[in-house]
Amino acid sequence: MTFEYSKRVPHNDNDVVGEILEAAANPAVISFAGGLPAPELFPVEGMKKAADTVFDNEGQTALQYSNAVGETVLREEIVKLMTDRGVDTSVEHVGVTTGSEQSIDLLAKMFVNPGDTVIVEEPTYLCTLDVFRSYGANIVGVEMDENGMRMDKFEEALKAHPEAKLVYTIPTFQNPTGRTMSVDRRKKFVELANKYDLLVMEDDPYGAIRYEGEELPPLKKFDTQDRVVYMSTFSKILAPGMRLGWIVCNVDVLSNFVVMKQSADLHSDNLSQHIIATFLKQNDVYEHIKKISDLYRHRFELMLDYIKKEFPADAKHSHPEGGMFIWIELPGEVDTMELFKTCVEHNVAFVPGDAFYPNKPKMGTFRLNFSNVDDETIEVGMKRLGTALKEALEATK
């Protein structure tokens, strides 16, 4: 049979990310490629206690169908989290999602028609690029520096593309670079979004995991025209297997989002919603987040030490104040995919930077993850990586 796939399905056999994950899955390969939280910090006992409480007190309700917007008991807890993040909101503005991935997909489905222009940071989260491409978007990248998206370049892009419909950003501990947008730029960002009438998709999966510097308010804090759709997740602060996230947005947007969600999955996992809501009531989530931040700080600092000791002296790296990633930029014209193959031969892997660019990638760039590797693995893996990088750079001379 000939299968007539839609235009949303990539019509080629070039699955770069799949190839990377397959190579990294080899048990002999030390992988810095994933974006996984540290499983030893999953609150297993706390979740077990919360689950027991749910089954004892509301088991029949938790196992029944629910509503697409999410259980009120969890949305009330999310309002508290948002208040702590500096955003005043209410249950009527909060929707529960099946992770941030669903938030991104449904919002793109709601707002992007084939040919519509969307603006992103360059580089940016690779799965968001895949989603925008699947809906036929024209994707425009905006240059970044160590303080996040450059506002001069952002406005240049807006002037060049007055038809632009929305902008997607990860302003805090960005994926893949780990960079954070400064407060002044956050204010300017919202000002420009207002001026050019853009919808803003603010993705904040890592913002709670800070181990250096001062807390910064989300873009949503500066939203004076209700145009920012804030997205976050429990995957990085509790457990990704629960598959729960949330959005905070305009009530009209939320109403239409709920309609789209109903046709996608009817509702997010009801049992998980009740368990997480109960966990948040029974535990100090910020004490738990501090444990995550302390461990990630240690692993980040250790990886940074080995970058300084083992990498070529002219290699550049980001210096994140939180999150899970370090971004590397090598000098010269280095083919990153060939570099990846060389590193796999040395039994170490990363994510090549090519996958994070909407259009032409910057050569010699890649992302390292430190959250899901212990001290010994970091030491051995970074030594292997340093050797492979030096070999690859020598071969380009």
Side-chain angles (χ1 to χ4, degrees):
M1 177 179 177
T2 301
F3 296 99
E4 297 292 337
Y5 293 108
S6 78
K7 292 181 180 180
R8 295 191 179 94
V9 179
H11 292 277
N12 61 62
D13 298 322
N14 185 21
D15 182 9
V16 175
V17 175
E19 292 174 11
I20 293 166
L21 294 176
E22 182 179 354
N26 182 338
V29 175
I30 291 177
S31 177
F32 300 126
L36 281 66
E40 63 268 35
L41 293 181
F42 293 161
V44 175
E45 290 304 314
M47 285 295 182
K48 183 179 179 218
K49 180 183 176 183
D52 287 342
T53 301
V54 169
F55 279 115
D56 288 343
N57 298 328
E58 48 195 326
Q60 293 181 351
T61 300
L63 293 174
Q64 184 57 278
Y65 283 116
S66 183
N67 54 72
V69 74
E71 285 293 292
T72 301
V73 65
L74 180 57
R75 292 159 68 208
E76 289 173 345
E77 293 300 317
I78 290 170
V79 168
K80 296 175 186 176
L81 293 176
M82 294 306 302
T83 299
D84 292 339
R85 295 184 185 186
V87 177
D88 293 326
T89 190
S90 62
V91 169
E92 291 74 20
H93 292 264
V94 175
V96 177
T97 67
T98 304
S100 289
E101 300 293 338
Q102 185 180 61
S103 303
I104 294 166
D105 181 69
L106 291 183
L107 287 167
K109 190 175 182 179
M110 286 169 61
F111 288 103
V112 178
N113 293 311
D116 282 350
T117 297
V118 300
I119 295 176
V120 301
E121 295 150 340
E122 191 174 69
T124 193
Y125 181 40
L126 57 90
C127 289
T128 300
L129 293 176
D130 288 343
V131 168
F132 285 151
R133 289 181 182 122
S134 75
Y135 290 112
N138 169 42
I139 307 173
V140 174
V142 176
E143 182 182 336
M144 305 174 70
D145 60 22
E146 287 307 307
N147 290 309
M149 183 187 286
R150 287 181 49 179
M151 290 301 101
D152 57 337
K153 298 296 183 180
F154 183 31
E155 186 156 25
E156 284 179 16
L158 292 171
K159 289 178 178 177
H161 298 276
E163 78 285 358
K165 206 165 190 180
L166 65 85
V167 55
Y168 170 83
T169 177
I170 312 170
T172 308
F173 316 140
Q174 197 244 14
N175 182 0
T177 66
R179 296 165 177 160
T180 294
M181 188 185 294
S182 66
V183 172
D184 287 345
R185 288 194 187 182
R186 289 172 191 242
K187 294 177 180 178
K188 183 65 174 179
F189 184 99
V190 175
E191 177 186 318
L192 290 172
N194 289 342
K195 179 179 178 181
Y196 290 91
D197 196 23
L198 282 179
L199 176 80
V200 177
M201 292 172 57
E202 178 181 14
D203 199 1
D204 189 25
Y206 317 102
I209 306 171
R210 174 176 286 278
Y211 36 79
E212 289 183 17
E214 297 181 359
E215 295 287 340
L216 298 181
L219 294 173
K220 187 67 178 170
K221 167 77 173 178
F222 306 111
D223 183 16
T224 58
Q225 297 184 5
D226 216 9
R227 67 175 62 252
V228 176
V229 179
Y230 176 92
M231 304 176 286
S232 193
T233 178
F234 290 106
S235 293
K236 308 304 186 294
I237 61 174
L238 290 181
M242 306 295 280
R243 301 311 306 131
L244 289 181
W246 72 90
I247 65 170
V248 180
C249 60
N250 171 281
V251 291
D252 184 65
V253 171
L254 183 59
S255 176
N256 284 284
F257 184 92
V258 168
V259 172
M260 304 297 283
K261 180 172 170 58
Q262 285 173 170
S263 64
D265 67 356
L266 195 60
H267 61 79
S268 296
D269 187 281
N270 197 25
L271 178 59
S272 292
Q273 291 188 61
H274 281 272
I275 291 173
I276 286 184
T278 302
F279 177 90
L280 293 172
K281 291 176 184 294
Q282 292 178 341
N283 297 272
D284 183 348
V285 70
Y286 297 107
E287 180 180 337
H288 176 66
I289 292 171
K290 185 179 186 306
K291 292 178 183 177
I292 298 173
S293 300
D294 288 346
L295 179 62
Y296 289 6
R297 177 194 294 113
H298 168 74
R299 291 178 175 176
F300 159 68
E301 290 175 348
L302 185 62
M303 183 172 276
L304 197 60
D305 286 343
Y306 280 103
I307 288 174
K308 294 174 181 177
K309 288 189 289 188
E310 303 293 338
F311 279 26
D314 46 1
K316 298 179 181 179
H317 64 83
S318 61
H319 190 106
E321 295 181 337
M324 302 162 56
F325 306 112
I326 300 176
W327 183 247
I328 306 295
E329 297 185 4
L330 298 177
E333 298 295 311
V334 180
D335 186 316
T336 316
M337 292 307 299
E338 289 302 314
L339 175 65
F340 174 77
K341 295 174 184 177
T342 299
C343 289
V344 170
E345 291 172 0
H346 285 76
N347 287 327
V348 64
F350 52 74
V351 182
D354 298 33
F356 299 101
Y357 284 87
N359 298 299
K360 183 179 179 181
K362 184 173 183 179
M363 299 183 73
T365 59
F366 58 90
R367 189 193 76 180
L368 296 176
N369 167 256
F370 50 81
S371 59
N372 191 34
V373 278
D374 60 25
D375 290 12
E376 181 180 358
T377 304
I378 290 175
E379 178 182 0
V380 175
M382 293 300 283
K383 287 180 178 179
R384 291 179 186 176
L385 187 52
T387 299
L389 294 181
K390 289 171 184 175
E391 283 185 15
L393 286 177
E394 187 64 30
T396 63
K397 293 181 181 178

